[in-house]
Amino acid sequence: LMWLATTRGLYALDADGPVRMTLRTNAADPAALASTDLRFVTRDRAGTLWAARSSGLEAIDTTAGRVSARIALAEPREIGFLEDRTGVLWIAHAGGNGLSSFDRTTRTLTHYRFVDGKGAPLPRFGIFSALEDRDGGLWLGTGGAGLLKLDPAQQRVVRYRNNPGDPQSLSGDDVAALFQDRGGDVWVALHGERLNLFSPRRS
């Protein structure tokens, strides 16, 4: 099945085109979608389908066509997420609320804030893209704050930014998309700038 997240609900299409299932809101059914205005949908390794809306995430039992869990998370703009190799869901907020993670084993939602080396908070920024590389590194593309490489165990971040005096620095600070190719190199797409290519194993 192909799942489509739309502004009118969630649709499941067969490979040859016909709609097999449609999920919408129903005030009389607490297991129906809370909103038909969906932003994103994907399936995790366990087979659970997750849909993002402006007020959070919903886990959907596709066999029954019902919502099995909800994560309240207000975000007026796009929400995306990435499941890492340990099974943690990393939730990226484009509206400037930053980054959260959800541990499905403990049902714990954790919000993160970014500070500099002296502990002072960084200005708020949105996260538009996320990538887990083959070595387990987590990369975050931000709207204006450059590229972040996250080390969750150490709770530290390495930030790559544009430096006009350094031709080897990132071409810009507004990262739109990330991709790792077969050779292990990471491609960084930036708004209005050239594509950047680098090896994640080098500083």
Side-chain angles (χ1 to χ4, degrees):
L1 289 179
M2 176 187 294
W3 290 90
L4 301 179
T6 77
T7 56
R8 294 188 177 183
L10 189 62
Y11 294 83
L13 277 66
D14 278 327
D16 55 354
V19 175
R20 180 183 293 185
M21 183 185 301
T22 304
L23 301 181
R24 295 194 177 96
T25 58
N26 182 349
D29 184 359
L33 290 177
S35 170
T36 56
D37 187 8
L38 301 177
R39 314 294 178 85
F40 185 80
V41 64
T42 192
R43 191 181 296 275
D44 65 21
R45 294 188 187 99
T48 302
L49 195 73
W50 292 85
R53 52 190 171 84
S54 60
S55 55
L57 297 173
E58 293 179 327
I60 299 167
D61 179 347
T62 55
T63 303
R66 300 174 69 80
V67 173
S68 59
R70 289 189 170 92
I71 305 172
L73 196 65
E75 171 55 67
R77 297 185 60 188
E78 296 88 352
I79 296 177
F81 68 93
L82 169 79
E83 180 186 17
D84 70 17
R85 61 186 62 190
T86 68
V88 173
L89 293 179
W90 293 92
I91 306 167
H93 313 261
N97 291 326
L99 183 69
S100 305
S101 66
F102 182 68
D103 188 323
R104 287 168 294 180
T105 303
T106 62
R107 313 290 293 179
T108 302
L109 181 67
T110 303
H111 300 285
Y112 295 85
R113 64 188 182 97
F114 295 90
V115 299
D116 63 20
K118 297 180 180 179
L122 295 176
R124 290 161 58 93
F125 51 81
I127 296 175
F128 290 89
S129 55
L131 169 74
E132 183 184 29
D133 66 31
R134 291 173 195 158
D135 296 326
L138 186 65
W139 299 83
L140 305 171
T142 75
L147 178 64
L148 309 179
K149 184 177 183 181
L150 178 64
D151 182 348
Q154 299 296 321
Q155 295 191 0
R156 294 181 61 87
V157 168
V158 176
R159 181 159 59 152
Y160 297 85
R161 303 194 71 183
N162 173 253
N163 178 356
D166 182 1
Q168 296 300 312
S169 71
L170 204 63
S171 292
D173 292 328
D174 197 357
V175 179
L178 299 167
F179 176 76
Q180 187 171 34
D181 63 26
R182 293 188 186 96
D185 290 330
V186 172
W187 293 83
V188 183
L190 303 122
H191 286 291
E193 301 290 344
R194 295 170 296 171
L195 280 171
N196 284 197
L197 173 66
F198 67 95
S199 170
R201 292 185 174 89
R202 300 175 186 171
S203 61

